[in-house]
Amino acid sequence: MKLDFRHGRVEMCHGSGGRAMAQLIDELFAKLLTNDYLAQGDDAAVLPALPGRLVISTDSHVVSPLFFPGGDIGSLAVHGTVNDVAVMGARPLYLAASFILEEGFPLAELKRIVESMARAAAAANVLIVTGDTKVVEKGKGDGVFITTTGFGVARDGVTLSGNRARPGDKILLSGRIGEHGMAILSQREGLTFDAPIISDSAALGGLIEAMLDSRADLRALRDPTRGGLATTLNELARQSAVGMMLDESAIPVAPAVAAACEFLGLDPCYIANEGKLVALCGPQDADKLLDVMRQHPQGQNAAIIGEVIEDSHAFVQMTTCMGGRRILDWLSGEQLPRIC
Amino acid sequence: MKLDFRHGRVEMCHGSGGRAMAQLIDELFAKLLTNDYLAQGDDAAVLPALPGRLVISTDSHVVSPLFFPGGDIGSLAVHGTVNDVAVMGARPLYLAASFILEEGFPLAELKRIVESMARAAAAANVLIVTGDTKVVEKGKGDGVFITTTGFGVARDGVTLSGNRARPGDKILLSGRIGEHGMAILSQREGLTFDAPIISDSAALGGLIEAMLDSRADLRALRDPTRGGLATTLNELARQSAVGMMLDESAIPVAPAVAAACEFLGLDPCYIANEGKLVALCGPQDADKLLDVMRQHPQGQNAAIIGEVIEDSHAFVQMTTCMGGRRILDWLSGEQLPRIC
């Protein structure tokens, strides 16, 4: 009997290692995520040698709700991980995907999620080559958690790292901030705004390839996810032992996000993004890099938002729209749990 | 203020991406799992090129209870994944580790688990090079889930796969079965037996290296985890479209496991192992391979337990100790949930 993807639910036996699990793998995962490596059917995938430095990143995805404007946990689990590989100056090639399912989760929703993963992986040009499925009892999980591990090969001669920033470097941002976090929040809280806010969840590989092709003097790239732009810049400042000075008026924020943040008392600089990147670049190449970014669909709203300065405290500061100056600290506490 | 590893608990802010998460990473993960790659501190690890075919495996670990005789979720998360890489004829080199923590989980237990991972990784000679931490609300997880992804490089000229079995091949088992599953079960149910049953959880890389060094004509290796020996042999039979004929009296089972299984009405052939392997080997080399296995501490009780036969139904059959014959089917249903 075939799995019932209309009315069926995840049962404990789907994680047993036995016949029911084999059926779930055959009729769902192997069918939708098909490729030669996954089809090997062993407990590990054997892949050709990679010609260059190996870049590896892993992320567990526990976003709630599972479906949100602009994406779902499946597409997010692809984008989140391929972006972490790409920002190291690498081309993401493969993903491993591991699912923790809660007993009773509708198979119809699981199928939608895996279909979405398949589309996102195809669009990002990566193959999902191996995986795992576990099932926990009802009340011991929350629908589905997906851990993806991405790997790729670093471009020859390119070394990007958060520890390479130097005073004078320009800080570029690829587009408007806060869209992923506010899309999740509005879905979760049932808020409706005049203009619906859509998650920016997307794979950044294409934009990054264009930036690398420009041969601009890039120091580091990073995607400002959990903790938002503010936290990402603080991470980079700490890693490089430098300060940063931002210009608030230069930071692109969509009007709907700005309005929603104001209404809710949130600062967009701390709201998660899933399709944006920060670039640190030697000052001589910043304008050239900005042009290249703006020519890419994912960088249309790119801007130079500040510069790296000397500061033994590694503070990130901002000249505000009011003309004052404030410190943009690390996110403390938790504004929006389970954003990714 | 330092984290309180005596009385502290996981809070939602430990997954925020902000300051609290950075502190947890610094004072726990980076401190205990220290190596140069993890210390890079970027969102992905950049590793040297690997000279050969890349072998990848991923597994989520949701074992309950988290601590059991012979191990814990930390050591298991290392062993489970390095073994899946090693059975492909590869040397495991690196692990990525991703944690899903439940709000309120004691930091003291988390520290014990990470210490155990560190010891297991050191013993298996692998480095944990990158990771992730997420936190879910109390009641939306179950203490800690750990997903590990292992990377290794396949030995030149060695091709092992579950689809390479041929009639006449001998089936070897590296030791006594059922110990991991029965250790978990006895811990979970508060059962006490005369002789305590200890999980066999262990990294098999050393045994496998010795087996590869023997140059025996190996077709496939696989570790009989979830679903036990019976399910693993059925997977191999299906992949290769062959049958198997086992000799029940040749299958090594420790007396304590046999007694506990009999008492509980369980068949040891379906009980999970975490430190055993099945080998399929060309008949001419089986005795040589058995000798090599028996000379290794992890293969002392190795045995030839049967052979591959022609069978278009891909049945796994067994000559029983009573002289009869029965089919050893796939595990159906779920005997022991959350065994790994």
Side-chain angles (χ1 to χ4, degrees):
Chain A
M1 213 168 60
K2 291 240 166 200
L3 279 175
D4 178 1
F5 282 111
R6 217 178 263 192
H7 305 293
R9 290 179 179 274
V10 169
E11 299 172 31
M12 292 307 294
C13 61
H14 289 126
S16 67
R19 192 185 288 282
M21 191 172 93
Q23 187 184 19
L24 184 69
I25 292 171
D26 287 352
E27 296 181 21
L28 182 64
F29 296 109
K31 194 169 166 191
L32 294 175
L33 305 176
T34 179
N35 61 68
D36 289 347
Y37 303 113
L38 195 62
Q40 290 168 354
D42 290 307
D43 286 350
V46 181
L47 305 167
L50 289 184
R53 288 164 297 154
L54 184 63
V55 177
I56 303 187
S57 189
T58 194
D59 259 315
S60 287
H61 296 84
V62 300
V63 66
S64 172
L66 297 170
F67 300 92
F68 50 82
D72 56 61
I73 192 171
S75 53
L76 187 66
V78 171
H79 297 152
T81 297
V82 298
N83 288 346
D84 282 343
V85 171
V87 294
M88 301 309 295
R91 185 191 290 262
L93 297 170
Y94 306 111
L95 282 176
S98 193
F99 294 77
I100 299 175
L101 307 174
E102 186 188 11
E103 182 187 15
F105 187 67
L107 289 177
E109 292 189 26
L110 182 59
K111 188 168 176 231
R112 269 178 72 194
I113 290 166
V114 178
E115 285 167 346
S116 170
M117 283 190 89
R119 279 193 303 273
N125 218 0
V126 293
L127 299 175
I128 297 174
V129 293
T130 190
D132 183 45
T133 313
K134 292 292 190 317
V135 180
V136 296
E137 304 88 340
K138 204 165 174 64
K140 300 294 186 184
D142 195 14
V144 52
F145 301 143
I146 305 176
T147 302
T148 45
T149 305
F151 39 110
V153 57
R155 191 185 278 223
D156 255 355
V158 171
T159 301
L160 304 178
S161 172
N163 65 18
R164 297 186 66 245
R166 303 178 216 166
D169 287 350
K170 297 293 181 187
I171 305 167
L172 291 86
L173 177 63
S174 67
R176 294 163 163 178
I177 59 171
E179 290 166 3
H180 177 71
M182 295 311 289
I184 296 282
L185 184 67
S186 57
Q187 175 82 357
R188 196 184 290 168
E189 306 294 339
L191 302 174
T192 48
F193 303 110
D194 291 346
I197 300 173
I198 310 292
S199 169
D200 60 344
S201 180
L204 291 166
L207 172 62
I208 292 170
E209 295 272 324
M211 293 168 72
L212 296 176
D213 287 345
S214 78
R215 302 193 162 270
D217 185 17
L218 280 170
R219 317 285 196 210
L221 299 175
R222 191 161 296 175
D223 50 336
T225 55
R226 277 183 289 178
L229 176 67
T231 303
T232 293
L233 293 177
N234 272 284
E235 284 172 19
L236 295 167
R238 185 176 83 156
Q239 255 184 289
S240 290
V242 295
M244 295 186 180
M245 181 62 71
L246 307 182
D247 173 4
E248 184 173 22
S249 65
I251 298 174
V253 186
V257 170
C261 279
E262 197 171 320
F263 177 70
L264 295 165
L266 296 171
D267 182 340
C269 289
Y270 291 91
I271 308 293
N273 311 277
E274 290 288 347
K276 297 299 180 313
L277 61 81
V278 168
L280 303 181
C281 176
Q284 72 289 358
D285 288 344
D287 289 330
K288 175 175 84 172
L289 182 65
L290 183 65
D291 281 346
V292 167
M293 291 171 73
R294 286 188 169 160
Q295 281 163 34
H296 192 279
Q298 289 180 317
Q300 287 174 54
N301 298 305
I304 296 176
I305 62 166
E307 70 174 41
V308 176
I309 59 176
E310 278 192 51
D311 181 355
S312 59
H313 298 292
F315 284 148
V316 176
Q317 301 182 65
M318 187 156 83
T319 312
T320 68
C321 297
M322 316 291 286
R325 188 178 280 191
R326 67 179 176 100
I327 286 181
L328 204 63
D329 202 357
W330 292 74
L331 174 66
S332 64
E334 171 59 299
Q335 257 187 344
L336 294 174
R338 301 184 55 189
I339 207 71
C340 60
Chain B
M1 214 168 59
K2 291 240 166 198
L3 278 175
D4 177 359
F5 282 110
R6 216 178 266 191
H7 305 294
R9 290 179 179 272
V10 170
E11 299 172 31
M12 291 307 294
C13 61
H14 289 126
S16 68
R19 192 185 288 282
M21 192 173 92
Q23 186 182 21
L24 184 68
I25 292 171
D26 287 352
E27 296 181 19
L28 182 63
F29 297 109
K31 193 168 166 193
L32 294 176
L33 306 175
T34 180
N35 60 68
D36 289 349
Y37 303 113
L38 194 64
Q40 290 168 352
D42 290 307
D43 286 350
V46 181
L47 306 166
L50 290 185
R53 289 163 298 152
L54 187 61
V55 176
I56 315 280
S57 189
T58 194
D59 259 316
S60 287
H61 296 84
V62 299
V63 66
S64 173
L66 296 170
F67 301 91
F68 50 82
D72 55 61
I73 191 172
S75 53
L76 187 66
V78 172
H79 298 152
T81 297
V82 299
N83 288 346
D84 282 344
V85 171
V87 293
M88 301 309 295
R91 185 191 290 263
L93 297 170
Y94 305 113
L95 282 177
S98 193
F99 294 78
I100 299 176
L101 307 174
E102 185 188 10
E103 180 186 17
F105 186 67
L107 289 177
E109 291 188 26
L110 182 59
K111 188 168 176 227
R112 269 179 72 194
I113 289 166
V114 179
E115 285 167 346
S116 170
M117 283 189 89
R119 278 192 304 271
N125 218 0
V126 295
L127 299 175
I128 297 175
V129 293
T130 190
D132 183 45
T133 312
K134 291 292 189 318
V135 180
V136 295
E137 303 88 339
K138 203 165 174 66
K140 301 292 186 184
D142 195 16
V144 53
F145 301 144
I146 305 176
T147 302
T148 44
T149 306
F151 297 81
V153 58
R155 190 185 280 220
D156 256 355
V158 172
T159 301
L160 303 178
S161 172
N163 65 18
R164 298 185 66 244
R166 303 178 216 164
D169 286 351
K170 296 293 182 186
I171 305 167
L172 291 86
L173 177 64
S174 67
R176 294 164 164 179
I177 58 172
E179 290 167 3
H180 177 70
M182 294 311 290
I184 297 283
L185 183 68
S186 58
Q187 174 82 357
R188 196 186 288 168
E189 306 295 339
L191 302 174
T192 47
F193 303 109
D194 290 347
I197 300 174
I198 310 291
S199 169
D200 60 344
S201 180
L204 291 165
L207 173 61
I208 291 171
E209 296 270 324
M211 293 168 70
L212 297 175
D213 287 345
S214 78
R215 302 194 162 271
D217 185 16
L218 280 170
R219 317 285 195 210
L221 299 175
R222 190 161 296 173
D223 49 338
T225 56
R226 277 184 289 178
L229 176 67
T231 302
T232 293
L233 293 177
N234 272 282
E235 284 172 21
L236 294 167
R238 184 175 84 154
Q239 256 183 288
S240 290
V242 294
M244 294 186 180
M245 182 62 71
L246 307 182
D247 172 4
E248 184 173 25
S249 66
I251 299 174
V253 186
V257 169
C261 280
E262 197 172 321
F263 177 69
L264 295 165
L266 297 170
D267 181 341
C269 288
Y270 292 91
I271 307 294
N273 311 278
E274 290 288 347
K276 297 299 179 312
L277 61 80
V278 168
L280 303 181
C281 176
Q284 72 289 358
D285 287 346
D287 289 330
K288 175 174 83 173
L289 182 65
L290 182 65
D291 281 345
V292 168
M293 291 170 73
R294 285 188 170 161
Q295 280 163 36
H296 191 278
Q298 289 180 317
Q300 287 174 55
N301 298 305
I304 297 176
I305 62 167
E307 72 173 39
V308 176
I309 59 176
E310 278 191 52
D311 182 354
S312 58
H313 298 292
F315 284 148
V316 176
Q317 301 182 64
M318 187 155 84
T319 311
T320 68
C321 297
M322 317 290 288
R325 191 179 276 192
R326 68 179 176 100
I327 286 182
L328 205 62
D329 202 358
W330 292 73
L331 175 66
S332 64
E334 171 59 300
Q335 256 187 349
L336 294 173
R338 300 182 59 189
I339 207 72
C340 61

